[in-house]
Amino acid sequence: MVPGNDDAARDEGRRVRLNQVVPRRHPGRWVAVALLAVIVGQVAHGIIVNPNFHWNVFWQYLFAPTVMAGVGWTLVLTVVAMLVAIVCAGILVLMRDSDNPILRTVSWLWIWFFRGTPLYTQLLFWGLFAVLFPRLSVSVPFGPEIIGVPTDWVVTAGVAAILGLGLCESAYLAEIFRAGFRAIDRGQTEAAQAIGMSRGRILWRILLPQALRTIIPPTGNETIGMLKGTALVLAVPFTLDLMFATSAIANRIYFPVPMLMVAAFWYLAITSLMMIGQFYLERHFGRGQDFVRTRHV
Amino acid sequence: MSDQAAVSLEGIHKFFGNFHALRGIDLTIAKGEVCVAIGPSGSGKSTLLRCINQIEVVSAGRVRICGTLQGYDERNGRLHELSPRAIDRQRRLTGMVFQRFNLFPHMTALGNVIEGPVQVKRIPKATARSHGRDLLARVGLADLADRYPNQLSGGQQQRVAIARALAMEPEVMLFDEPTSALDPELVGEVLDVIKDLAASGMTMILVTHEIGFAREVGDHLVFMDQGTIVEEGRPKQMLEAPKSTRTQAFLSKVL
């Protein structure tokens, strides 16, 4: 493997007569393909020509304005709630690993609470937030108010939905992030300390990029879960998302099945796009480890 | 006198819980000296190195590098803990090479070498890169600057790790069993680099099991057992005529 010898090695490699191998046959694969083709054909036929699916209604409403708006709102809820969750989870992980016992305990309690209660219940609670706390104010404890606003100016249905989804998710993400950091060898921190890097810089330059490699696949899972979790926001009630939009139309036109298919189509379309994005993220953070140029001659 | 010493250790003790890992270590290493520490596993050699660059905090005693007390500020006979920032700055006095390399896997060889200069010393990236390439050339890896650690052999990785430590221009280099994780055929290339460094006048403390190498490059040999320095002296004399029975017993097993 002396670099200067590469050319000589390559020339020599060309002179080698490679083994001529008759590939092994796989008849079982063809049997499996035939069987599956029959089953898939049967099912597809049963769905496509089935009048109960009302495909004309499906096509009619697939790009309907309220459906498209629903797609947009679902995306907004997913992205913003996920951002809230990622920021909170980042803070929670730092607190969990800090030297300060109070911060550690608060982090633990947060995860305990938001992971331990159902999302639906939390969304109902956020919907009732303005009723429970009519005014949001900064005041002297048990004393006079300094500044305040009516809660429903701030915690609108959309904000309630985002807080409900995001805070609940932050608890799960915090655990995923913690696992990601734990998977890194202690030697990485020691090596970084040895060249005089500060704690913050070690976290940002050395640990985070390596942790992200393990954090991204489960976070992709969570993001897809969040996308579908937005269907629960009618508990707030928030009534503009994709699930509510399609079921509202279904109730109006008495065709539930094609409208469910419309919703399913869009959820699947968004999930597919997210998976593409995830592929590129994984490739970026797997550099040097999962995605390295192999050194073939 | 301690102003002359590159490293001086006075009465170092280290406890891990109830385990007494270092039991009163006194050691002075002059500038340009190559000090080699040998001894059985668990004798505290690695712990001693880790105390010198403050990866571990000593339980008792004083560590001085070039006369500066490490980790603390001593005022009116009391020790005051330094800020993390000050400790990070002190760590730049020492470069450390680890048994298991600990290269950053998400950075290329050159990326590993320039990380300290760019992030810690704030040297412009272009300058750091050209200096980094020089350092990689010095350890014989000029062609492999853009490879990731996973694409390098163990010996090549350890040489990158040495270049990474040198990039911070430390006063003292600490080697913690630098060849113990290597295939036998790769040990030589790493030892050659260390030998060159010794010849260039770098102060070094080397923990190793390579007794022959210790004899060849060491100025100062230290035999440790159970957290104490049992015997120290000139390598040749000590290896040929060890005074302590414990040293004799150890050497009879490894030689």
Side-chain angles (χ1 to χ4, degrees):
Chain A
M1 267 280 95
V2 181
N5 273 357
D6 276 5
D7 288 342
R10 200 174 297 126
D11 287 344
E12 195 182 298
R14 284 210 193 90
R15 282 197 295 277
V16 174
R17 215 175 77 86
L18 299 178
N19 288 346
Q20 298 295 313
V21 180
V22 180
R24 219 159 68 81
R25 305 293 169 201
H26 299 281
R29 289 187 193 171
W30 294 103
V31 175
V33 165
L35 265 174
L36 284 172
V38 170
I39 294 169
V40 169
Q42 288 277 332
V43 172
H45 177 261
I47 292 172
I48 291 166
V49 303
N50 189 333
N52 296 330
F53 276 85
H54 301 284
W55 287 104
N56 56 328
V57 180
F58 172 84
W59 291 112
Q60 187 188 339
Y61 283 98
L62 186 57
F63 297 101
T66 45
V67 171
M68 295 316 290
V71 169
W73 276 110
T74 289
L75 271 176
V76 167
L77 286 179
T78 306
V79 170
V80 179
M82 211 59 199
L83 286 177
V84 169
I86 287 170
V87 170
C88 287
I91 296 169
L92 286 169
V93 164
L94 291 180
M95 287 166 66
R96 192 84 195 251
D97 284 343
S98 84
D99 298 330
N100 184 330
I102 294 163
L103 294 182
R104 281 204 304 271
T105 309
V106 169
S107 173
W108 187 89
L109 285 172
W110 177 290
I111 292 168
W112 169 75
F113 179 80
F114 282 101
R115 216 168 46 155
T117 51
L119 174 58
Y120 193 80
T121 316
Q122 289 178 35
L123 286 167
L124 281 172
F125 168 82
W126 284 108
L128 292 170
F129 192 74
V131 180
L132 296 170
F133 305 99
R135 274 184 81 76
L136 285 179
S137 57
V138 179
S139 59
V140 181
F142 304 104
E145 176 178 308
I146 298 163
I147 185 173
V149 288
T151 302
D152 47 13
W153 288 13
V154 181
V155 187
T156 59
V159 171
I162 284 165
L163 284 176
L165 292 168
L167 297 190
C168 178
E169 184 59 37
S170 72
Y172 291 92
L173 279 186
E175 288 294 280
I176 290 173
F177 289 6
R178 192 164 67 92
F181 281 102
R182 276 197 160 194
I184 303 171
D185 191 287
R186 275 251 346 124
Q188 290 291 310
T189 305
E190 291 177 0
Q193 285 177 334
I195 55 173
M197 291 176 87
S198 65
R199 269 178 79 168
R201 214 158 275 279
I202 294 172
L203 188 67
W204 185 250
R205 296 275 313 170
I206 307 298
L207 301 181
L208 185 62
Q210 294 185 60
L212 280 172
R213 175 173 164 253
T214 38
I215 286 172
I216 286 168
T219 302
N221 251 355
E222 293 294 313
T223 310
I224 289 169
M226 172 72 86
L227 172 73
K228 293 178 291 186
T230 58
L232 290 176
V233 292
L234 84 136
V236 170
F238 181 86
T239 55
L240 297 168
D241 73 295
L242 178 58
M243 197 64 214
F244 196 92
T246 50
S247 50
I249 296 171
N251 289 340
R252 184 156 49 78
I253 62 175
Y254 295 112
F255 284 123
V257 171
M259 293 318 293
L260 283 174
M261 302 296 280
V262 167
F265 173 87
W266 284 114
Y267 282 119
L268 202 54
I270 299 170
T271 302
S272 309
L273 282 177
M274 285 175 174
M275 286 169 73
I276 294 171
Q278 186 180 338
F279 169 79
Y280 285 102
L281 276 178
E282 281 183 22
R283 193 170 70 168
H284 178 74
F285 287 105
R287 70 188 185 280
Q289 297 187 75
D290 309 319
F291 294 85
V292 287
R293 281 170 289 122
T294 48
R295 39 175 173 164
H296 288 301
V297 179
Chain B
M1 194 196 84
S2 67
D3 292 339
Q4 297 300 317
V7 179
S8 91
L9 308 176
E10 301 155 25
I12 303 295
H13 286 262
K14 176 66 186 176
F15 289 90
F16 293 107
N18 286 326
F19 179 64
H20 200 169
L22 295 176
R23 306 165 177 239
I25 302 284
D26 293 292
L27 184 64
T28 305
I29 293 146
K31 285 202 170 124
E33 190 174 75
V34 178
C35 174
V36 181
I38 58 170
S41 313
S43 58
K45 307 174 306 265
S46 295
T47 305
L48 188 65
L49 280 195
R50 294 159 66 86
C51 287
I52 292 172
N53 80 344
Q54 305 188 58
I55 286 179
E56 303 288 356
V57 177
V58 294
S59 312
R62 308 277 191 277
V63 177
R64 288 195 168 80
I65 298 178
C66 302
T68 313
L69 179 63
Q70 299 293 294
Y72 303 96
D73 192 10
E74 194 163 16
R75 293 194 301 263
N76 308 325
R78 294 190 61 174
L79 292 178
H80 299 261
E81 211 176 344
L82 290 180
S83 68
R85 184 182 282 247
I87 289 174
D88 293 339
R89 207 171 304 127
Q90 289 187 336
R91 285 206 179 103
R92 292 194 222 165
L93 294 170
T94 54
M96 178 110 169
V97 174
F98 299 86
Q99 182 176 354
R100 289 188 301 123
F101 328 137
N102 295 345
L103 290 181
F104 307 132
H106 56 302
M107 298 177 187
T108 61
L110 185 61
N112 270 276
V113 175
I114 67 169
E115 183 66 10
V118 173
Q119 295 295 326
V120 180
K121 283 191 164 177
R122 301 268 165 212
I123 288 171
K125 221 170 178 179
T127 318
R129 289 178 77 88
S130 80
H131 187 214
R133 283 185 190 280
D134 292 345
L135 280 170
L136 285 173
R138 186 168 163 195
V139 297
L141 296 172
D143 296 332
L144 303 180
D146 298 321
R147 292 264 176 96
Y148 284 97
N150 267 12
Q151 299 167 295
L152 299 172
S153 73
Q156 290 166 341
Q157 288 190 52
Q158 193 61 298
R159 286 186 279 153
V160 173
I162 293 171
R164 176 176 69 179
L166 289 175
M168 294 302 288
E169 298 174 326
E171 298 290 328
V172 182
M173 283 285 283
L174 310 172
F175 292 87
D176 187 5
E177 302 195 23
T179 57
S180 297
L182 297 177
D183 292 339
E185 55 165 15
L186 302 177
V187 169
E189 64 187 59
V190 172
L191 292 184
D192 285 345
V193 168
I194 298 174
K195 214 183 293 175
D196 284 350
L197 261 180
S200 75
M202 174 66 81
T203 310
M204 308 201 285
I205 306 177
L206 185 68
V207 170
T208 188
H209 293 297
E210 302 281 334
I211 305 291
F213 184 74
R215 185 202 310 261
E216 193 182 344
V217 298
D219 302 315
H220 182 170
L221 187 64
V222 172
F223 173 68
M224 287 183 70
D225 191 21
Q226 296 183 350
T228 56
I229 294 181
V230 176
E231 190 171 346
E232 60 176 314
R234 295 246 145 225
K236 283 208 179 77
Q237 292 158 7
M238 217 173 113
L239 291 169
E240 275 153 27
K243 294 195 193 87
S244 146
T245 49
R246 270 194 286 173
T247 317
Q248 285 164 11
F250 175 76
L251 289 175
S252 71
K253 275 182 221 149
V254 296
L255 279 177

